[in-house]
């Protein structure tokens, strides 16, 4: 398969920087709608679910890779993942541990079905509508799982937001070490990193906007979301500029 046919970006340092920022936006943006606006987790999930469905449909119809469309879809998965996990964990009373376990099973099932159907779950193979459906379903489960894991670590496990950030940062460092110094499957490492960046973003988002009495910095959810979105836009433009600069003339 030619790389130009791939519907996802090149996995590089910039990819992971934008991914972490996007997952943090998912937390602050999701909380802004469900909590600051007072719409609740169920209505917030419905709103973001519609945005997610529309973004995925546009992504599948698109010819080739479009960075702003791709990252809009990623942000949509993080916001709906935030409100959906909060609804399941808090409103339905499943709890963080139960929610995390359920979502882990769903994520594993999604990857298994994808592999059985297409023979690979490598991201550079995402070039057909069928592969994209599996890809975005898997991402949806991973983002929702990450929210539940982040909340479980910070609250139930008692590590707090800073402790949770250090834990997930350390786990990501181990994955980087495995990538650099072992022959571990690159596909496996990618999905492990993709999953772990979500709880990292979740605890970072909570650190930014939760009250000081709960260990947060009490920043405005709206302001934090806008600043993070501006950072993502600037990063996408910078990557696009560098990519154009590397093309042969």
């Amino acid at each position: 398969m030619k790389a130009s046919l791939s519907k996802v970006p090149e996995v590089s340092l910039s990819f992971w920087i934008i991914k972490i920022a996007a997952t943090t936006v998912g937390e602050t943006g999701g909380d802004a709608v469900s909590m600051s606006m007072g719409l609740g987790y169920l209505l917030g999930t419905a709103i973001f679910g519609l945005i997610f469905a529309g973004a995925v449909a546009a992504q599948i119809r698109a010819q080739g890779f479009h960075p702003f469309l791709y990252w809009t879809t990623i942000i949509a998965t993080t916001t709906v993942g935030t409100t959906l996990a909060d609804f399941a964990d808090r409103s339905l009373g499943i709890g963080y541990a139960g929610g995390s376990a359920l979502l882990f099973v769903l994520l594993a099932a999604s990857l298994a079905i994808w592999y059985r159907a297409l023979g690979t779950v490598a991201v550079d193979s995402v070039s057909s509508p069928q592969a994209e459906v599996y890809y975005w379903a898997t991402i949806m489960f991973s983002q929702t799982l990450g929210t539940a894991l982040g909340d479980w670590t910070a609250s139930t496990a008692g590590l707090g937001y800073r402790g949770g950030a250090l834990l997930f940062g350390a786990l990501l460092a181990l994955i980087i070490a495995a990538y650099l110094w072992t022959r571990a499957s690159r596909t496996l490492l990618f999905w492990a990193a993709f999953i772990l960046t979500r709880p990292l973003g979740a605890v970072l988002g909570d650190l930014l906007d939760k009250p000081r009495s709960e260990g947060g910095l009490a920043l405005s959810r709206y302001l934090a979301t806008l600043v993070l979105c501006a950072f993502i836009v600037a990063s996408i433009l910078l990557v696009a500029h560098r990519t154009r600069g590397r093309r042969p003339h």
Side-chain angles (χ1 to χ4, degrees):
M1 184 195 71
K2 295 180 180 179
S4 60
L5 296 178
S6 180
K7 300 287 288 291
V8 300
E10 177 186 358
V11 179
S12 61
L13 178 60
S14 60
F15 173 91
W16 294 114
I17 291 173
I18 298 173
K19 170 62 165 59
I20 292 172
T23 59
T24 309
V25 165
E27 194 70 22
T28 59
D31 287 348
V33 170
S34 63
M35 300 172 70
S36 296
M37 292 184 183
L39 298 182
Y41 300 127
L42 183 58
L43 183 55
T45 299
I47 292 171
F48 290 126
L50 288 174
I51 295 172
F52 168 64
V56 169
Q59 174 75 13
I60 291 175
R61 287 196 304 268
Q63 299 297 315
F65 170 66
H66 299 279
F68 281 104
L69 176 57
Y70 175 85
W71 287 111
T72 296
T73 312
I74 287 289
I75 292 172
T77 67
T78 66
T79 48
V80 72
T82 294
T83 54
L84 181 58
D86 287 342
F87 176 72
D89 296 340
R90 300 170 187 175
S91 298
L92 295 181
I94 296 176
Y96 298 131
S100 297
L102 174 61
L103 288 161
F104 180 80
V105 171
L106 290 173
L107 174 60
S110 178
L111 286 167
I113 293 170
W114 180 6
Y115 185 83
R116 183 177 180 83
L118 300 181
T120 179
V121 294
V123 293
D124 59 3
S125 69
V126 181
S127 59
S128 68
Q130 185 181 11
E132 284 193 88
V133 169
Y134 289 123
Y135 177 75
W136 290 111
T138 301
I139 285 180
M140 180 66 212
F141 288 132
S142 75
Q143 304 284 43
T144 311
L145 170 62
T147 301
L149 282 175
D151 289 342
W152 183 23
T153 302
S155 300
T156 306
L159 294 182
Y161 305 127
R162 291 177 176 82
L166 289 174
L167 172 63
F168 293 117
L171 292 174
L172 284 169
L174 291 177
I175 292 176
I176 293 172
Y179 178 83
L180 294 174
W181 296 307
T182 76
R183 296 183 179 180
S185 166
R186 276 17 188 181
T187 299
L188 176 62
L189 292 177
F190 170 84
W191 284 112
F194 199 96
I195 293 166
L196 287 173
T197 50
R198 179 61 186 111
L200 175 60
V203 293
L204 289 176
D206 283 337
L207 176 63
L208 292 174
D209 65 29
K210 285 297 189 287
R212 294 183 184 275
S213 60
E214 298 178 15
L217 299 176
L219 300 180
S220 165
R221 294 186 178 108
Y222 303 118
L223 179 59
T225 300
L226 288 174
V227 170
L228 287 164
C229 284
F231 173 79
I232 291 170
V233 170
S235 299
I236 293 171
L237 292 174
L238 179 59
V239 171
H241 176 73
R242 289 179 174 176
T243 300
R244 286 194 298 270
R246 291 198 300 266
R247 290 174 181 169
H249 298 284

